[in-house]
Amino acid sequence: MKFARYSNQDEVMQGLIVPVYVGGLNWILLGNQYWHNGWVFLIATVLTFVTALLAWFVNNAVGLYLNRRFPDIDQTLVRLSWLLGWCVLAGWSCCTFLYGCYFLLNSPSLPMQPGRLPLVLLFNLVVVLMVIIFYEGIRAFERWERTLRKTEELKKANLQSQFDSLRSQINPHFLFNSLNTLSSLIEEDPEQAEQFVEEMASVYRYLLRSNESQLATLGNELTFAQSYFHLLRTRYGANIHLEQAVDAHFHDHLLPPLTLQLLLENAVKHNVILPEQPLHISIRTEADNRLVVRNNLQRKNTRIISNQVGLTNIATQYRLLGGGDIRVDDDDNFFTVTLPLIRKA
């Protein structure tokens, strides 16, 4: 039978506290006879040890329930009040039970100290307070460690995402294509060339500012996606299409920054884009707080090396932020990524 563990240090705490509790409680109840009579010592120790250990496991289960019932930091006082009340009640019940057992077994070899029951209850209260304080200290430290570890993992995922985005955009190939497009536009359509420069500046400005926050609003991500798509549309012309069906109600919802850019880039990178094979990308929201990014599949014949770092980073950031899981569907006709939108706190 597997008992609930309240902390990773349960065994250590039990090994340190239960023997002290058993010895102290029996000494108060039975006096020095507890230490001097082997039979008394054996019977009392076994009975008290089993009772204390069972009470410990029950208290653990209650403590875990209260943690689920009152999980927030601002509910700590309420949770600890309930936990203290339960543990004191359970401890006093155990003390009364042991007192009753000793009373029934009362004999010259197992002498009672009737006037010491209030002292036993006080001793139990002190032990309960010490255990709760120790446990809460351990759990606070464990929470701090987990938070620190998640923060470091999230920083790493964010940095990797930013690096991948910048690497894919600020590289000789991208700059060559962008400058070549700009050069052509300057002669053919100066007004469009000016707009291209503005959109390109907007893209880089957003990329460089994306590390300022772990989350971005959907509205800002859509604005950035439009600037990024303008560069793609200028390059590929009418061979690439972007359709948006996003309810304005979701514009304040959150998602990791650069998510849409990574998905647009992924679609362009892996698919043929030709007049007879245009690429269609859609971004839409669903009623259950989800964002769906979808493109038709027309895979390139040449082998594209991909380790799905972009999708992996998006999934990692969602996991660390507690935003849920992303879903990727590939049915050979469409490639679809479904993302949960995070509500503002």
Side-chain angles (χ1 to χ4, degrees):
M1 180 178 179
K2 186 176 181 180
F3 292 99
R5 300 175 81 250
Y6 192 74
S7 163
N8 292 331
Q9 304 299 322
D10 265 11
E11 291 77 10
V12 175
M13 292 287 288
Q14 291 164 3
L16 292 175
I17 293 176
V18 171
V20 175
Y21 177 80
V22 169
L25 186 144
N26 282 316
W27 180 44
I28 296 172
L29 270 179
L30 302 174
N32 291 330
Q33 183 72 13
Y34 172 68
W35 304 106
H36 298 155
N37 188 312
W39 175 250
V40 171
F41 179 84
L42 178 62
I43 295 295
T45 298
V46 171
L47 184 59
T48 308
F49 181 82
V50 171
T51 302
L53 211 55
L54 288 175
W56 191 298
F57 291 132
V58 171
N59 290 342
N60 276 2
V62 172
L64 292 171
Y65 166 77
L66 292 174
N67 283 333
R68 294 190 299 270
R69 179 68 176 80
F70 305 105
D72 298 333
I73 296 296
D74 57 358
Q75 296 176 311
T76 300
L77 185 59
V78 176
R79 176 173 58 81
L80 290 181
S81 297
W82 277 101
L83 182 60
L84 177 61
W86 166 263
C87 290
V88 169
L89 180 63
W92 286 357
S93 299
C94 290
C95 291
T96 304
F97 168 75
L98 291 171
Y99 183 85
C101 290
Y102 294 163
F103 182 81
L104 294 175
L105 296 172
N106 191 20
S107 67
S109 61
L110 194 65
M112 287 294 296
Q113 303 287 337
R116 296 192 176 186
L117 181 58
L119 189 58
V120 168
L121 299 181
L122 178 61
F123 171 75
N124 179 81
L125 176 61
V126 172
V127 172
V128 166
L129 286 172
M130 289 177 58
V131 170
I132 290 178
I133 290 172
F134 287 154
Y135 259 131
E136 288 304 311
I138 291 171
R139 287 178 62 82
F141 181 74
E142 290 175 348
R143 283 194 298 269
W144 175 79
E145 276 191 320
R146 286 195 299 271
T147 302
L148 182 63
R149 187 164 54 250
K150 284 186 176 181
T151 300
E152 292 302 318
E153 290 178 6
L154 184 56
K155 285 181 180 178
K156 182 179 178 181
N158 272 331
L159 289 174
Q160 184 66 48
S161 175
Q162 294 157 26
F163 175 74
D164 291 336
S165 296
L166 290 173
R167 182 179 59 185
S168 67
Q169 301 305 324
I170 309 176
N171 61 54
H173 183 67
F174 174 78
L175 289 176
F176 174 80
N177 287 330
S178 298
L179 293 176
N180 190 43
T181 302
L182 180 59
S183 177
S184 301
L185 289 174
I186 290 174
E187 293 185 4
E188 298 174 3
D189 191 339
E191 184 176 342
Q192 189 178 1
E194 182 178 352
Q195 185 180 1
F196 183 87
V197 171
E198 291 177 356
E199 297 294 351
M200 191 172 177
S202 177
V203 165
Y204 282 107
R205 185 163 51 248
Y206 190 88
L207 286 170
L208 294 172
R209 293 179 57 185
S210 62
N211 64 341
E212 294 178 1
S213 177
Q214 294 177 348
L215 289 168
T217 64
L218 177 58
N220 287 340
E221 279 286 291
L222 289 171
T223 301
F224 168 67
Q226 285 287 2
S227 296
Y228 180 71
F229 181 75
H230 181 86
L231 303 184
L232 298 175
R233 185 62 182 266
T234 304
R235 178 181 173 188
Y236 293 102
N239 304 329
I240 186 170
H241 303 272
L242 177 64
E243 177 187 353
Q244 290 190 23
V246 176
D247 192 328
H249 167 73
F250 295 105
H251 279 192
D252 289 336
H253 286 55
L254 305 171
L255 68 166
L258 304 180
T259 295
L260 293 182
Q261 184 269 334
L262 287 171
L263 295 177
L264 290 175
E265 179 204 354
N266 191 62
V268 171
K269 178 180 179 182
H270 294 282
N271 291 279
V272 173
I273 305 176
L274 295 172
E276 61 274 14
Q277 291 180 287
L279 180 65
H280 295 271
I281 306 172
S282 68
I283 302 174
R284 72 175 191 272
T285 49
E286 295 182 345
D288 56 349
N289 296 327
R290 293 191 175 275
L291 183 72
V292 179
V293 181
R294 188 187 196 196
N295 65 269
N296 58 315
L297 275 176
Q298 39 203 33
R299 291 187 174 92
K300 294 180 178 179
N301 293 327
T302 56
R303 179 180 177 86
I304 301 295
I305 298 175
S306 174
N307 53 10
Q308 293 190 326
V309 170
L311 288 175
T312 300
N313 280 334
I314 293 172
T316 300
Q317 291 187 71
Y318 266 102
R319 177 175 58 81
L320 294 175
L321 290 167
D325 297 323
I326 72 171
R327 191 176 77 242
V328 178
D329 298 305
D330 181 349
D331 61 4
D332 291 329
N333 292 314
F334 294 95
F335 185 83
T336 307
V337 179
T338 305
L339 308 160
L341 293 172
I342 303 171
R343 292 176 179 270
K344 272 191 174 181

